[in-house]
């Protein structure tokens, strides 16, 4: 198991994109219950099954297992609700790599940046393009975006 | 992925136990929805994560991945509802190996035999100790036994 400690922010502008190439991610949920999300993710010819426990602050339990891509395609068909599709940009800033997700489809227009930390109180440098802190807002959980996409907010 | 084709029967008497030793299984569900069950199973020092699709007749999709035992212990704590505990007996009969599950705890008193087939119409020899066919009865799904155990029937 791992512990995931992650802060999440809205993103301002597009300057952070410069010189970077994103990866396309496609994911669905075998369970969207926030106490035990079960995610199937396809990305760049690889696939994972990921289970996360409930968040306490910025922290939650995370278990991740690689699975065959062929299985992932079929598991996505078993998922509850539509897939979440996005481009993921890895943006180096202040010694950390921020993951900026630019959502597609029913979530188009939403851009969110996440930074993974080693401890809840770890200091980090905020990029100029990071806006409102939405770590604790359940609307921004990817598992929520599958059932209640950005276009319906 | 695999396709699981399985018939399930109630069990009569205890004669089938003779000379056999069971394995203890402990399992819980990260999702009990019959369209996409996600099961965590601990058995004999090994553990698996298993996803099954909805049954059509005796057939359903099945995806199974080995996981570390340490992860399984923690995933069981994330599960929805109590664990299902049982002894599993492997009983050879007519060229096939039947799995006889003797449930414990809140499901004590329930004994069910399953036989896995290569095709829905595969002929097989019924053991004398196999009773009523309960393949299609959702009460006997292990995922149901977690939420509505045998003692409450």
């Amino acid at each position: 198991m791992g512990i995931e400690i992650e802060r999440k922010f809205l993103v301002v502008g597009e300057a952070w994109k410069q010189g970077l190439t994103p990866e396309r991610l496609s994911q669905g949920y075998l369970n969207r219950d926030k106490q035990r999300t079960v995610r199937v993710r396809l990305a760049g010819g690889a696939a994972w099954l990921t289970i996360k426990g409930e968040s306490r602050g910025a922290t939650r339990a995370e278990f991740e297992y690689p699975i065959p891509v062929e299985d992932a395609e079929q598991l996505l068909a078993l998922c509850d609700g539509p897939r979440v599709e996005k481009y993921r940009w890895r943006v180096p800033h202040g010694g950390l790599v921020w993951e900026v997700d630019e959502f597609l489809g029913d979530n188009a227009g939403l851009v969110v940046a996440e930074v993974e930390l080693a401890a809840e109180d770890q200091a980090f440098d905020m990029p100029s393009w990071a806006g409102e802190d939405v770590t604790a807002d359940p609307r921004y959980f990817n598992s929520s975006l599958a059932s209640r996409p950005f276009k319906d907010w």
Side-chain angles (χ1 to χ4, degrees), chain A:
Chain A
M1 187 195 57
I3 293 285
E4 179 187 64
I5 307 175
E6 205 169 65
R7 296 276 296 277
K8 190 185 286 190
F9 300 87
L10 296 185
V11 171
V12 182
E14 298 216 325
W16 49 270
K17 276 190 184 178
Q18 205 140 32
L20 301 175
T21 306
E23 181 173 52
R24 173 74 180 252
L25 269 59
S26 183
Q27 59 195 46
Y29 290 85
L30 290 164
N31 195 345
R32 288 189 274 106
D33 179 346
K34 66 179 164 39
Q35 297 169 289
R36 55 189 77 86
T37 60
V38 182
R39 185 186 72 199
V40 181
R41 176 181 278 176
L42 261 175
W48 296 267
L49 193 59
T50 306
I51 296 134
K52 299 189 187 189
E54 190 158 18
S55 298
R56 293 170 201 286
T59 304
R60 58 178 172 168
E62 183 186 64
F63 305 81
E64 189 153 66
Y65 308 105
I67 60 172
V69 167
E70 189 190 315
D71 284 15
E73 298 278 10
Q74 296 177 58
L75 285 168
L76 282 166
L78 288 185
C79 280
D80 186 18
R83 297 188 190 193
V84 172
E85 306 278 352
K86 59 190 181 183
Y87 285 117
R88 169 157 287 182
W89 306 74
R90 291 191 169 77
V91 186
H93 179 87
L96 296 171
V97 175
W98 289 63
E99 290 179 337
V100 180
D101 286 348
E102 185 180 17
F103 290 86
L104 305 169
D106 287 349
N107 289 298
L110 181 62
V111 186
V112 169
E114 293 175 343
V115 63
E116 196 155 337
L117 305 173
E120 288 248 357
D121 59 359
Q122 180 184 336
F124 59 94
D125 188 60
M126 281 285 281
S128 60
W129 43 263
E132 186 187 346
D133 184 339
V134 295
T135 305
D137 188 335
R139 291 181 305 166
Y140 293 95
F141 295 170
N142 278 249
S143 51
S144 305
L145 293 173
S147 54
R148 191 155 171 271
F150 188 60
K151 78 170 174 60
D152 297 335
W153 292 19

